[in-house]
Amino acid sequence: MAKKDQTTDAARKDREKWMARFQVRLAMQPGVDRAVVLQAVKDVTAHCADTGEDPQTVFGDPDAYAVQAAARLVPADRAARARRHNAVADAFSSVLKRVRDVPGL
C-alpha cells in the first residue's frame, strides 16, 4: 500500500507541475488576462476530473497547449492589440537601455 501512495503522490506532483507551467505559459500569451487563465484551468481540471486522465497525456506539452488555449480563448483582435503593445514596450525598453549605456547621461 505504501508503494501505491508513493505512485499516487508522484502522479499528483506531476499534475501540479504541469498545471503550474501551463498557467505561467498561458499568462505570457498576448491578450491573456485572469479570466482566460481561470477558464483554461477550469477546462483542463474538469476534463481530467471527468476522465481520470493525466493532463500531460491528454493535452501534451503545457507550453504548446498554452499557445493553443490562448488562440482558442482570446479574441484575435485583442491578441493582435497586445502584440502591438508588447512590441512598442520592447522598443521603448531597448531605447532606455541604450540611453543608460551612454556615458555622461
Side-chain angles (χ1 to χ4, degrees):
M1 180 123 174
K3 186 171 183 166
K4 184 177 180 182
D5 289 343
Q6 289 174 348
T7 303
T8 304
D9 191 44
R12 181 184 54 79
K13 286 181 182 179
D14 287 345
R15 283 191 303 274
E16 288 174 357
K17 284 182 184 178
W18 191 97
M19 286 298 283
R21 185 168 180 103
F22 171 65
Q23 290 176 53
V24 168
R25 296 299 185 189
L26 180 60
M28 293 170 61
Q29 298 303 307
V32 170
D33 60 9
R34 185 174 188 266
V36 170
V37 173
L38 291 174
Q39 182 61 50
V41 168
K42 180 182 173 184
D43 293 346
V44 169
T45 303
H47 178 84
C48 292
D50 291 345
T51 64
E53 295 174 306
D54 182 68
Q56 178 71 39
T57 303
V58 178
F59 301 107
D61 179 59
D63 296 346
Y65 189 65
V67 172
Q68 293 172 10
R72 187 180 80 246
L73 296 171
V74 176
D77 62 327
R78 188 166 88 192
R81 192 170 46 249
R83 278 192 289 278
R84 285 191 305 272
H85 179 273
N86 290 345
V88 169
D90 289 346
F92 185 70
S93 177
S94 177
V95 168
L96 285 178
K97 183 176 184 251
R98 289 182 190 154
V99 167
R100 278 188 243 128
D101 292 341
V102 174
L105 287 181

